[in-house]
Amino acid sequence: MNAPARLDSAPRIEDFPYRLTDNVRFADLDPNGHVNNAVYATYFETGRVTLMKDQSYWRLPEGLAWIMVRLDIHFRAELHWPGTIEMGLGVTKFGRTSVSFDQVAFSDGRCVASAQAVTVLIDQATRRPTPLTADIIAKFQPWLRRGVAPSN
């Protein structure tokens, strides 16, 4: 297994091949005037779900679904409204039934948060984990995080 990137090292957006932008909403703020910590989970979810449900790119086999089993967030800087964020995502590991991601959120060229996420492929009928197929792994290849060799 590869050692995870140090939490205090500064991520580079260039290392994350899947990217999208989102707006910071006024409703994202807490009483301290910055984005509430819980909202970052939503930003990161938007990145993962946008990739994993993009049917123009791929279709998950019938009867299978992804579930989140782990999300670790490192809050690096305050984020304020108004503004936009650039999110990056990169695959870091394939397990027997899981895919792991590194994710980042940048604002004005500065990393405001980073996360590690693990999703598991399940059978929708049994709700049990199911092994990744060679096709699923192949479809994730363009999204491998630069600088990290994915492990199995």
Side-chain angles (χ1 to χ4, degrees), residues 12-19 90-91 142 144-148:
R12 299 174 332 131
I13 193 69
E14 301 82 29
D15 292 335
F16 298 85
Y18 189 80
R19 293 191 217 147
V91 172
L144 297 177
R145 180 174 174 198
R146 290 176 184 85
V148 176

Side-chain angles (χ1 to χ4, degrees), residues 19-25 46 50 84-88 106:
R19 293 191 217 147
L20 65 157
T21 59
D22 201 357
N23 291 315
V24 176
R25 293 165 287 282
T46 297
T50 301
T84 58
I85 55 172
E86 182 176 14
M87 294 177 287
F106 276 73

Side-chain angles (χ1 to χ4, degrees), residues 32-149:
N32 294 317
H34 59 231
V35 171
N36 183 279
N37 62 345
V39 174
Y40 288 87
T42 302
Y43 293 155
F44 290 131
E45 176 185 57
T46 297
R48 286 188 314 278
V49 170
T50 301
L51 170 62
M52 297 172 91
K53 297 222 179 248
D54 184 350
Q55 293 191 3
S56 68
Y57 176 66
W58 70 329
R59 293 187 195 278
L60 199 57
E62 189 70 29
L64 300 180
W66 295 105
I67 60 168
M68 171 64 58
V69 297
R70 185 174 185 141
L71 179 63
D72 296 318
I73 300 175
H74 180 186
F75 303 99
R76 296 171 173 273
E78 288 184 300
L79 182 57
H80 299 277
W81 175 86
T84 58
I85 55 172
E86 182 176 14
M87 294 177 287
L89 179 144
V91 172
T92 58
K93 181 180 178 186
F94 299 107
R96 189 179 72 80
T97 63
S98 64
V99 178
S100 298
F101 302 95
D102 278 353
Q103 295 185 257
V104 290
F106 276 73
S107 178
D108 296 324
R110 174 182 66 169
C111 184
V112 295
S114 58
Q116 290 77 45
V118 180
T119 58
V120 170
L121 186 64
I122 65 166
D123 180 295
Q124 288 180 309
T126 65
R127 307 306 289 174
R128 303 290 305 155
T130 190
L132 300 177
T133 65
D135 185 56
I136 289 172
I137 292 171
K139 292 290 186 180
F140 277 117
Q141 294 304 307
W143 314 120
L144 297 177
R145 180 174 174 198
R146 290 176 184 85
V148 176

